[in-house]
Amino acid sequence: MKILEHLNSAGIMYDQKFIDSLETALSHAKNATDSLQTLYSLSFENGFMNPPKGIRYGMQCLAIAIRSNNIKAQINAHNGIGNAFESLSEFDSSRYHHFHSVECCQRVGQKSVPTFSAEAYHRPAAFSKVRPKSSPRELEACWTVSEAKF
């Protein structure tokens, strides 16, 4: 329950009705673009509260993005998957996906990377040092978000 309080205090609200509406939208998606956007949203939304489901949606998004050579969707998919793995404290897997997100940005010449990719790529090392009863200040240091440039 503490993670819910932390996420809500950070302005991230877990809303099952929203997730349900995304799942309905996915079942009615008419094209790959709609599917990719919805799968990424489902991956992101589930990544904090239901990480295994977030990973499944992210992997589906990644498979379609690779087949359609959609680099932006690959970036998003890797981010969603990386965030979900981080929620499970699987930091090697999280770092792997965030690294690939950054790598995709570099492939297309994007000068800045999504904030979560850049920060989360470095954050797992910090999280592995956070104690179970860390102070809010210690947790905040791990969650600090800033725009990263290459």
Side-chain angles (χ1 to χ4, degrees):
M1 200 59 175
K2 287 285 186 191
I3 191 165
L4 255 179
E5 292 170 15
H6 180 70
L7 292 174
N8 287 339
S9 70
I12 300 169
M13 301 296 293
Y14 180 75
D15 185 350
Q16 187 59 50
K17 289 180 184 177
F18 179 61
I19 290 173
D20 292 344
S21 70
L22 287 171
E23 288 174 341
T24 300
L26 180 61
S27 69
H28 293 94
K30 295 183 173 150
N31 56 51
T33 301
D34 290 346
S35 293
L36 287 168
Q37 290 173 332
T38 306
L39 285 166
Y40 168 65
S41 294
L42 283 164
S43 176
F44 181 83
E45 294 298 328
N46 281 289
F48 295 109
M49 304 312 298
N50 189 347
K53 200 171 189 180
I55 291 166
R56 282 193 302 275
Y57 282 124
M59 292 294 200
Q60 289 175 31
C61 181
L62 184 59
I64 295 169
I66 289 170
R67 276 196 313 270
S68 61
N69 198 31
N70 185 327
I71 303 297
K72 179 161 175 45
Q74 289 177 43
I75 293 166
N76 287 340
H78 280 298
N79 273 333
I81 297 165
N83 291 339
F85 274 122
E86 188 173 325
S87 294
L88 293 171
S89 298
E90 293 184 24
F91 301 121
D92 288 342
S93 295
S94 175
R95 190 176 182 120
Y96 171 87
H97 284 284
H98 286 298
F99 171 80
H100 282 289
S101 178
V102 172
E103 188 178 65
C104 287
C105 290
Q106 291 170 330
R107 265 194 292 164
V108 296
Q110 190 171 322
K111 295 294 182 203
S112 62
V113 297
T115 302
F116 280 155
S117 282
E119 290 295 321
Y121 177 70
H122 299 287
R123 190 170 55 236
F127 269 142
S128 65
K129 295 175 185 165
V130 174
R131 297 179 317 278
K133 293 189 176 189
S134 296
S135 71
R137 185 175 213 89
E138 290 171 310
L139 289 172
E140 184 63 33
C142 292
W143 280 95
T144 301
V145 177
S146 64
E147 184 70 16
K149 306 245 181 223
F150 311 155

Coordinates of all heavy atoms in Angstrom, one line a residue, residues 22-73:
L22 N -8.9 1.3 -21.8 CA -7.8 1.0 -22.7 C -7.9 -0.4 -23.3 O -7.7 -0.6 -24.5 CB -6.5 1.2 -22.1 CG -6.0 2.6 -21.8 CD1 -4.8 2.6 -20.9 CD2 -5.8 3.4 -23.0
E23 N -8.3 -1.3 -22.5 CA -8.5 -2.7 -22.9 C -9.6 -2.8 -23.9 O -9.5 -3.5 -24.9 CB -8.6 -3.7 -21.8 CG -7.3 -3.9 -21.0 CD -7.5 -4.7 -19.7 OE1 -8.6 -4.8 -19.2 OE2 -6.4 -5.2 -19.2
T24 N -10.7 -2.1 -23.7 CA -11.8 -2.0 -24.7 C -11.3 -1.4 -26.0 O -11.6 -1.9 -27.1 CB -13.0 -1.3 -24.1 OG1 -13.4 -1.9 -22.9 CG2 -14.1 -1.2 -25.1
A25 N -10.6 -0.3 -25.9 CA -10.1 0.4 -27.1 C -9.1 -0.6 -27.9 O -9.2 -0.6 -29.1 CB -9.3 1.6 -26.7
L26 N -8.3 -1.4 -27.2 CA -7.4 -2.3 -27.8 C -8.2 -3.3 -28.7 O -7.9 -3.6 -29.8 CB -6.5 -3.0 -26.8 CG -5.5 -4.0 -27.4 CD1 -4.6 -3.3 -28.4 CD2 -4.8 -4.7 -26.3
S27 N -9.3 -3.8 -28.1 CA -10.1 -4.8 -28.8 C -10.8 -4.2 -30.0 O -11.2 -4.9 -30.9 CB -11.1 -5.4 -27.9 OG -12.1 -4.5 -27.5
H28 N -10.9 -2.9 -30.1 CA -11.6 -2.2 -31.2 C -10.6 -1.5 -32.1 O -11.0 -0.7 -33.0 CB -12.6 -1.2 -30.7 CG -13.8 -1.9 -30.1 ND1 -13.9 -2.1 -28.7 CD2 -14.9 -2.5 -30.6 CE1 -15.0 -2.7 -28.4 NE2 -15.6 -3.0 -29.5
A29 N -9.3 -1.6 -31.8 CA -8.3 -0.9 -32.6 C -8.4 -1.3 -34.1 O -8.5 -2.5 -34.4 CB -6.9 -1.2 -32.1
K30 N -8.3 -0.3 -35.0 CA -8.5 -0.6 -36.4 C -7.2 -0.6 -37.2 O -7.2 -1.0 -38.3 CB -9.5 0.5 -37.0 CG -10.8 0.4 -36.4 CD -11.8 1.4 -37.0 CE -13.2 1.1 -36.5 NZ -14.1 2.1 -36.3
N31 N -6.1 -0.2 -36.6 CA -4.9 -0.2 -37.3 C -3.7 -0.4 -36.3 O -3.9 -0.3 -35.1 CB -4.7 1.0 -38.2 CG -4.8 2.3 -37.3 OD1 -4.2 2.5 -36.3 ND2 -5.7 3.2 -37.8
A32 N -2.5 -0.6 -36.9 CA -1.3 -0.8 -36.1 C -1.0 0.4 -35.2 O -0.6 0.2 -34.0 CB -0.1 -1.2 -37.0
T33 N -1.2 1.6 -35.7 CA -0.9 2.7 -34.9 C -1.8 2.8 -33.6 O -1.2 3.0 -32.5 CB -1.1 4.0 -35.7 OG1 -0.2 4.0 -36.9 CG2 -0.8 5.3 -34.9
D34 N -3.1 2.6 -33.8 CA -3.9 2.6 -32.6 C -3.6 1.5 -31.7 O -3.5 1.7 -30.4 CB -5.4 2.4 -33.1 CG -6.0 3.6 -33.8 OD1 -5.4 4.7 -33.8 OD2 -7.0 3.4 -34.4
S35 N -3.2 0.3 -32.2 CA -2.8 -0.8 -31.3 C -1.6 -0.5 -30.6 O -1.5 -0.8 -29.4 CB -2.6 -2.1 -32.2 OG -3.8 -2.6 -32.7
L36 N -0.6 0.1 -31.3 CA 0.7 0.4 -30.6 C 0.5 1.4 -29.5 O 1.1 1.2 -28.4 CB 1.7 0.9 -31.6 CG 2.3 -0.1 -32.6 CD1 3.0 0.5 -33.7 CD2 3.2 -1.1 -31.9
Q37 N -0.2 2.4 -29.8 CA -0.5 3.5 -28.7 C -1.2 2.9 -27.5 O -0.8 3.2 -26.4 CB -1.2 4.7 -29.3 CG -0.4 5.5 -30.3 CD -1.3 6.5 -31.0 OE1 -2.5 6.4 -31.2 NE2 -0.6 7.6 -31.4
T38 N -2.2 2.1 -27.8 CA -3.0 1.5 -26.7 C -2.1 0.5 -25.9 O -2.2 0.4 -24.7 CB -4.3 0.9 -27.2 OG1 -4.9 1.8 -28.0 CG2 -5.2 0.4 -26.1
L39 N -1.4 -0.4 -26.6 CA -0.5 -1.4 -25.9 C 0.5 -0.7 -25.0 O 0.8 -1.1 -23.9 CB 0.1 -2.3 -26.9 CG -0.7 -3.3 -27.6 CD1 -0.1 -4.0 -28.8 CD2 -1.1 -4.4 -26.5
Y40 N 1.1 0.4 -25.6 CA 2.1 1.1 -24.7 C 1.4 1.7 -23.5 O 1.9 1.6 -22.4 CB 2.8 2.2 -25.5 CG 3.6 3.1 -24.6 CD1 4.6 2.6 -23.9 CD2 3.2 4.4 -24.4 CE1 5.3 3.4 -23.0 CE2 3.8 5.2 -23.4 CZ 4.9 4.7 -22.8 OH 5.6 5.5 -21.8
S41 N 0.2 2.3 -23.7 CA -0.5 2.9 -22.5 C -0.8 1.8 -21.5 O -0.7 2.0 -20.3 CB -1.8 3.6 -23.0 OG -1.5 4.7 -23.8
L42 N -1.2 0.7 -22.0 CA -1.5 -0.4 -21.1 C -0.3 -0.9 -20.4 O -0.3 -1.3 -19.2 CB -2.2 -1.6 -21.8 CG -3.7 -1.4 -22.1 CD1 -4.2 -2.3 -23.2 CD2 -4.5 -1.5 -20.9
S43 N 0.8 -1.0 -21.1 CA 2.1 -1.4 -20.5 C 2.5 -0.4 -19.4 O 2.8 -0.8 -18.3 CB 3.2 -1.5 -21.5 OG 4.4 -1.8 -20.9
F44 N 2.4 0.9 -19.7 CA 2.8 1.9 -18.7 C 1.9 1.9 -17.5 O 2.3 1.9 -16.4 CB 2.8 3.3 -19.4 CG 3.2 4.4 -18.4 CD1 4.5 4.7 -18.2 CD2 2.2 5.1 -17.7 CE1 4.9 5.7 -17.3 CE2 2.6 6.1 -16.8 CZ 3.9 6.4 -16.6
E45 N 0.6 1.9 -17.7 CA -0.4 1.9 -16.6 C -0.3 0.7 -15.7 O -0.5 0.8 -14.5 CB -1.8 2.1 -17.2 CG -2.1 3.4 -17.9 CD -1.9 4.6 -17.0 OE1 -2.2 4.5 -15.8 OE2 -1.5 5.7 -17.5
N46 N -0.1 -0.4 -16.3 CA 0.0 -1.7 -15.5 C 1.4 -1.8 -14.9 O 1.5 -2.6 -13.9 CB -0.4 -2.9 -16.3 CG -1.8 -3.1 -16.5 OD1 -2.5 -3.4 -15.6 ND2 -2.3 -2.8 -17.7
G47 N 2.4 -1.2 -15.4 CA 3.7 -1.4 -15.0 C 4.0 -1.2 -13.5 O 4.9 -1.8 -12.9
F48 N 3.3 -0.3 -12.9 CA 3.5 0.0 -11.5 C 2.7 -0.9 -10.6 O 3.2 -1.4 -9.5 CB 3.1 1.4 -11.1 CG 4.0 2.5 -11.8 CD1 3.5 3.2 -12.9 CD2 5.3 2.6 -11.4 CE1 4.3 4.1 -13.5 CE2 6.1 3.6 -12.1 CZ 5.6 4.3 -13.1
M49 N 1.4 -1.2 -10.9 CA 0.6 -2.0 -10.0 C 0.4 -3.4 -10.4 O 0.0 -4.2 -9.6 CB -0.8 -1.3 -10.0 CG -0.7 0.2 -9.6 SD 0.3 0.5 -8.1 CE -0.6 -0.4 -6.9
N50 N 0.6 -3.8 -11.6 CA 0.5 -5.2 -12.1 C 1.6 -5.4 -13.1 O 1.3 -5.5 -14.3 CB -0.9 -5.4 -12.7 CG -1.1 -6.9 -13.0 OD1 -0.2 -7.7 -13.0 ND2 -2.4 -7.2 -13.3
P51 N 2.9 -5.4 -12.7 CA 4.0 -5.5 -13.6 C 4.0 -6.6 -14.6 O 4.3 -6.4 -15.7 CB 5.2 -5.5 -12.7 CG 4.8 -4.9 -11.4 CD 3.3 -5.3 -11.3
P52 N 3.6 -7.9 -14.2 CA 3.6 -8.9 -15.2 C 2.7 -8.6 -16.4 O 3.0 -8.9 -17.5 CB 3.1 -10.2 -14.4 CG 3.5 -9.9 -13.0 CD 3.3 -8.4 -12.8
K53 N 1.5 -8.0 -16.1 CA 0.6 -7.6 -17.1 C 1.2 -6.5 -18.0 O 1.1 -6.5 -19.2 CB -0.7 -7.2 -16.5 CG -1.9 -7.2 -17.5 CD -3.2 -7.0 -16.7 CE -4.4 -7.3 -17.6 NZ -5.6 -7.1 -16.8
G54 N 1.9 -5.6 -17.3 CA 2.6 -4.5 -18.0 C 3.6 -5.0 -19.0 O 3.8 -4.5 -20.1
I55 N 4.4 -6.0 -18.5 CA 5.4 -6.6 -19.4 C 4.8 -7.3 -20.6 O 5.2 -7.1 -21.7 CB 6.3 -7.6 -18.5 CG1 7.1 -6.8 -17.5 CG2 7.1 -8.5 -19.5 CD1 7.7 -7.7 -16.4
R56 N 3.7 -8.0 -20.4 CA 3.0 -8.7 -21.5 C 2.5 -7.7 -22.5 O 2.7 -7.9 -23.7 CB 1.8 -9.5 -21.0 CG 2.2 -10.9 -20.4 CD 1.1 -11.8 -20.2 NE 0.0 -11.3 -19.3 CZ -0.1 -11.3 -18.0 NH1 0.9 -11.8 -17.3 NH2 -1.1 -10.8 -17.4
Y57 N 1.9 -6.6 -22.1 CA 1.4 -5.6 -23.0 C 2.6 -4.9 -23.7 O 2.6 -4.7 -24.9 CB 0.6 -4.5 -22.3 CG -0.8 -5.0 -22.1 CD1 -1.3 -4.9 -20.8 CD2 -1.7 -5.4 -23.1 CE1 -2.6 -5.3 -20.5 CE2 -3.0 -5.8 -22.8 CZ -3.5 -5.7 -21.5 OH -4.8 -6.1 -21.3
G58 N 3.7 -4.7 -23.0 CA 4.9 -4.1 -23.6 C 5.5 -5.0 -24.6 O 6.0 -4.5 -25.7
M59 N 5.6 -6.3 -24.3 CA 6.1 -7.2 -25.3 C 5.3 -7.3 -26.6 O 5.8 -7.4 -27.7 CB 6.3 -8.6 -24.7 CG 7.3 -8.6 -23.6 SD 9.0 -8.3 -24.2 CE 10.0 -9.0 -22.9
Q60 N 4.0 -7.3 -26.4 CA 3.1 -7.2 -27.6 C 3.4 -6.0 -28.4 O 3.5 -6.1 -29.6 CB 1.6 -7.3 -27.2 CG 1.2 -8.6 -26.6 CD -0.3 -8.5 -26.1 OE1 -1.1 -7.8 -26.7 NE2 -0.6 -9.3 -25.1
C61 N 3.5 -4.9 -27.7 CA 3.8 -3.6 -28.4 C 5.1 -3.7 -29.1 O 5.2 -3.3 -30.3 CB 3.8 -2.5 -27.4 SG 4.1 -0.8 -28.1
L62 N 6.1 -4.2 -28.5 CA 7.4 -4.3 -29.1 C 7.4 -5.2 -30.3 O 8.1 -4.9 -31.3 CB 8.4 -4.8 -28.0 CG 9.9 -4.9 -28.4 CD1 10.4 -3.5 -28.9 CD2 10.8 -5.5 -27.3
A63 N 6.7 -6.3 -30.2 CA 6.7 -7.2 -31.4 C 6.1 -6.6 -32.6 O 6.6 -6.7 -33.7 CB 5.9 -8.5 -31.0
I64 N 5.0 -5.8 -32.4 CA 4.3 -5.1 -33.5 C 5.2 -4.0 -34.0 O 5.4 -3.8 -35.2 CB 3.0 -4.6 -33.1 CG1 2.0 -5.7 -32.8 CG2 2.4 -3.7 -34.2 CD1 0.7 -5.3 -32.1
A65 N 5.9 -3.3 -33.1 CA 6.7 -2.2 -33.5 C 7.9 -2.7 -34.3 O 8.3 -2.0 -35.3 CB 7.2 -1.4 -32.2
I66 N 8.5 -3.8 -33.9 CA 9.6 -4.3 -34.7 C 9.2 -4.8 -36.1 O 9.8 -4.5 -37.1 CB 10.3 -5.5 -33.9 CG1 11.0 -4.9 -32.7 CG2 11.2 -6.3 -34.8 CD1 11.5 -6.0 -31.7
R67 N 8.0 -5.5 -36.1 CA 7.5 -6.0 -37.4 C 7.2 -4.8 -38.4 O 7.4 -4.9 -39.6 CB 6.2 -6.8 -37.3 CG 6.5 -8.2 -37.0 CD 5.2 -9.1 -37.2 NE 4.0 -8.6 -36.6 CZ 3.6 -8.8 -35.3 NH1 4.3 -9.6 -34.5 NH2 2.5 -8.3 -34.9
S68 N 6.7 -3.7 -37.8 CA 6.3 -2.5 -38.7 C 7.5 -1.5 -38.7 O 7.3 -0.4 -39.3 CB 5.1 -1.9 -38.1 OG 5.2 -1.4 -36.8
N69 N 8.6 -1.8 -38.2 CA 9.8 -0.9 -38.2 C 9.4 0.5 -37.6 O 9.9 1.5 -38.2 CB 10.4 -0.8 -39.6 CG 11.8 -0.3 -39.5 OD1 12.5 -0.5 -38.6 ND2 12.2 0.4 -40.6
N70 N 8.6 0.5 -36.6 CA 8.2 1.8 -36.0 C 9.2 2.0 -34.7 O 9.0 1.5 -33.7 CB 6.8 1.7 -35.5 CG 6.2 3.0 -35.0 OD1 7.0 3.7 -34.3 ND2 5.0 3.2 -35.2
I71 N 10.2 2.8 -35.0 CA 11.2 3.1 -33.9 C 10.6 3.8 -32.7 O 10.9 3.4 -31.6 CB 12.4 3.8 -34.5 CG1 13.0 3.1 -35.7 CG2 13.5 4.1 -33.4 CD1 13.6 1.8 -35.4
K72 N 9.8 4.8 -32.9 CA 9.2 5.5 -31.8 C 8.4 4.5 -30.9 O 8.5 4.6 -29.7 CB 8.3 6.6 -32.3 CG 7.6 7.3 -31.1 CD 7.1 8.7 -31.5 CE 6.3 9.4 -30.4 NZ 6.9 9.5 -29.1
A73 N 7.6 3.6 -31.5 CA 6.9 2.6 -30.7 C 7.8 1.6 -30.0 O 7.6 1.2 -28.9 CB 5.9 1.9 -31.6

